[in-house]
Amino acid sequence: MPPQVNFTQDMILETAFAIVRKKGLEVLSARTISQKLHCSTRPIYTAFQSMKALETLVIEKAREYAIQYLLQGEGSEPFLTIGLRYFRFAQEEKELFKLLYMSKERNLEPGNFQDSIFGPLLERMKQDPHLQTLDDDQLQTVLFKMQVFTHGLAPLAYTGALTSSEEFIRECLSQMGRSVIAWEYYKDKVE
């Protein structure tokens, strides 16, 4: 008789994440996981109370993955690098992009940044020389406004409709970023 394989929560979670990353959350089921692991569905339900509980962990793992993805890359303009990575994420990680950035569960209200995917991004923004004199509220406003702009363009990258070079995207983000940042610096003088 072959040795019995014990499937840990981590093994099942990793498998579920791989499925979602490749095919999307809508195909995730105990059956798709068990097929990938070459086992029955019993280990999945033994390890997790419900599929909903597993889905919640998969979404959290996707958020953590996205944060690390967006924070990769070096340069003298960390905030611009985040924007460029966001476009690349839309192109390279289509299912995760759809899950995290194109679902109705996403809350983009500026006051919710601390408890969302954006908290670590705010910390990275503080390293940007163009943003170092802005306070946390101003940084949240800049991030929110740039997220609206960037997310307006990113689905075009996601669908393949925007095939422009990275240099074009860089220029678009730079121009809008300069405008948004300048407004935060000078809005009190204009109002």
Side-chain angles (χ1 to χ4, degrees):
M1 181 187 298
Q4 185 176 1
V5 178
N6 291 323
F7 294 99
T8 66
Q9 281 188 334
D10 285 342
M11 289 170 67
I12 295 167
L13 177 59
E14 288 298 323
T15 302
F17 178 71
I19 291 167
V20 169
R21 189 174 173 199
K22 187 173 183 177
K23 297 182 179 180
L25 187 65
E26 57 277 354
V27 303
L28 186 65
S29 69
R31 184 173 302 274
T32 58
I33 297 167
S34 67
Q35 288 171 347
K36 191 87 166 163
L37 292 173
H38 306 290
C39 67
S40 71
T41 58
R42 185 173 182 184
I44 291 113
Y45 288 114
T46 300
F48 294 93
Q49 199 170 33
S50 67
M51 279 304 295
K52 188 67 178 166
L54 178 54
E55 283 179 16
T56 299
L57 291 173
V58 168
I59 292 168
E60 184 55 37
K61 185 168 182 62
R63 282 190 180 115
E64 291 169 9
Y65 179 85
I67 289 168
Q68 292 309 311
Y69 189 100
L70 296 176
L71 293 177
Q72 287 176 356
E74 299 295 323
S76 61
E77 299 177 282
F79 189 45
L80 176 59
T81 301
I82 291 169
L84 293 170
R85 295 289 298 166
Y86 186 75
F87 275 93
R88 192 166 295 138
F89 191 78
Q91 293 170 322
E92 295 176 358
E93 297 289 349
K94 290 186 182 300
E95 291 300 331
L96 295 181
F97 181 82
K98 180 173 69 172
L99 173 67
L100 296 173
Y101 299 106
M102 296 180 71
S103 80
K104 65 181 178 178
E105 296 172 12
R106 179 124 186 272
N107 191 344
L108 275 179
E109 294 300 319
N112 293 326
F113 283 129
Q114 306 308 9
D115 298 325
S116 72
I117 198 170
F118 297 109
L121 302 183
L122 288 171
E123 292 305 311
R124 177 61 60 90
M125 289 171 66
K126 292 176 183 179
Q127 298 171 8
D128 194 305
H130 302 102
L131 303 173
Q132 288 179 341
T133 59
L134 296 177
D135 63 31
D136 284 355
D137 289 339
Q138 289 173 310
L139 287 173
Q140 285 183 15
T141 300
V142 168
L143 181 57
F144 176 73
K145 288 178 179 178
M146 284 307 297
Q147 174 62 19
V148 170
F149 178 77
T150 306
H151 189 69
L153 291 175
L156 299 174
Y158 169 80
T159 62
L162 181 64
T163 58
S164 300
S165 69
E166 187 172 302
E167 194 53 43
F168 172 78
I169 300 302
R170 175 184 294 277
E171 188 57 33
C172 287
L173 291 177
S174 291
Q175 287 176 4
M176 182 55 75
R178 284 191 294 272
S179 297
V180 169
I181 293 165
W183 177 252
E184 281 305 306
Y185 278 114
Y186 301 111
K187 70 181 178 184
D188 293 335
K189 295 176 178 141
V190 176
E191 293 177 341

